[in-house]
Amino acid sequence: HTDMPVLVLGESGTGKELVAQAIHQGSGRSASPFVSQHCAAIPANLLESEFFGHVKGSFTGAHRDKKGLFELADGGTLFLDEIGDMPQDLQSKLLRALETKTFTPVGSSREVAVDFRLVCATHKNLYKQVVMKTFRSDLFFRISAFPIRIPALRDRSEDIEKLVYHLAQQLSLGLGSGTSFKVEKDALWLLKTFPWPGNIRQLRNVVECLIIRSGGKVITAQ
């Protein structure tokens, strides 16, 4: 087992978070929390509080103490999706937390010690962002020691048939339509040759639509 940071690279919809979850489940931290956060989904004025937590009264609306993502992930894995969207001032604080394994909640003077494994993901070219000086080079080298690149679905068409049936089995149970789902040869050819710009996320949505329209039975090319 290792606590080395992992950087998962791939287009949107390729399943980067599933890879991160698999890394966590296969690690010595699997019994501890897996904390996931999309870096672009937090309002800029709340970023520091979300990551490091805050103490009561530290700013307007801080009615109670709050634990941040770092503290919630203590002992487990912190997954930061789309880290390329993280503001630079927060990048420097993340780097310090990685190097010292400590952080200071907003409005507090007390340092908190944490122990977490960091897994990051992005669809962006972080090296290009480093060259353009929109992403810190020291943080980039810290998080990219072990990169995992997930190919786009159009580059792994041989997996589509298995994925279709796997997704169909999952979705059929949720829709109550049974597991007799079958894809005719011509329909499978169409699925394999489509470029899938939205990758597996798009494939999942299409399979769900096909199950509903076919009554969960046979998918034809039409």
Side-chain angles (χ1 to χ4, degrees):
H1 295 300
T2 176
D3 282 336
M4 180 182 288
V6 176
L7 179 62
V8 186
L9 303 167
E11 295 179 5
S12 295
T14 49
K16 295 188 290 294
E17 183 163 1
L18 290 176
V19 171
Q21 289 173 349
I23 291 169
H24 172 72
Q25 290 301 324
S27 75
R29 298 174 178 268
S30 58
S32 298
F34 175 83
V35 178
S36 173
Q37 181 59 57
H38 193 295
C39 292
I42 308 173
N45 61 322
L46 295 177
L47 277 168
E48 192 170 354
S49 170
E50 286 295 316
F51 276 87
F52 305 113
H54 61 251
V55 297
K56 180 179 178 181
S58 55
F59 56 86
T60 303
H63 301 302
R64 57 181 176 81
D65 289 357
K66 177 186 175 181
K67 291 183 177 181
L69 296 171
F70 285 12
E71 195 167 358
L72 292 174
D74 190 29
T77 301
L78 176 61
F79 173 58
L80 299 181
D81 197 6
E82 297 305 346
I83 193 169
D85 293 322
M86 179 179 284
Q88 284 189 296
D89 58 339
L90 193 60
Q91 291 174 26
S92 61
K93 292 174 181 176
L94 171 60
L95 179 63
R96 183 183 181 281
L98 286 173
E99 291 178 339
T100 65
K101 294 294 185 181
T102 62
F103 68 93
T104 304
V106 176
S108 174
S109 58
R110 177 181 60 90
E111 280 200 336
V112 179
V114 284
D115 171 32
F116 62 85
R117 199 245 185 105
L118 182 68
V119 179
C120 302
T122 184
H123 75 281
K124 294 184 175 181
N125 185 332
L126 286 187
Y127 184 75
K128 184 176 180 180
Q129 287 187 255
V130 168
V131 172
M132 296 175 64
K133 301 188 182 303
T134 58
F135 197 88
R136 291 182 62 105
S137 60
D138 45 7
L139 179 59
F140 170 71
F141 293 121
R142 187 76 171 79
I143 67 175
S144 63
F146 197 95
I148 297 176
R149 185 173 295 278
I150 307 176
L153 188 55
R154 62 182 172 275
D155 296 328
R156 45 184 291 210
S157 58
E158 68 277 6
D159 293 336
I160 287 178
E161 183 174 2
K162 289 182 179 179
L163 284 167
V164 166
Y165 279 103
H166 173 71
L167 292 168
Q169 186 175 31
Q170 284 186 329
L171 293 165
S172 293
L173 293 173
L175 295 169
S177 54
T179 57
S180 59
F181 183 81
K182 185 177 184 298
V183 184
E184 290 188 349
K185 187 176 180 180
D186 288 350
L188 190 59
W189 181 84
L190 289 173
L191 291 168
K192 285 184 174 182
T193 55
F194 186 73
W196 298 110
N199 292 292
I200 296 177
R201 183 182 294 122
Q202 182 184 12
L203 178 64
R204 186 185 188 280
N205 293 337
V206 169
V207 170
E208 184 172 21
C209 181
L210 292 173
I211 291 172
I212 294 170
R213 295 187 66 175
S214 69
K217 303 299 180 184
V218 179
I219 299 302
T220 65
Q222 185 181 358

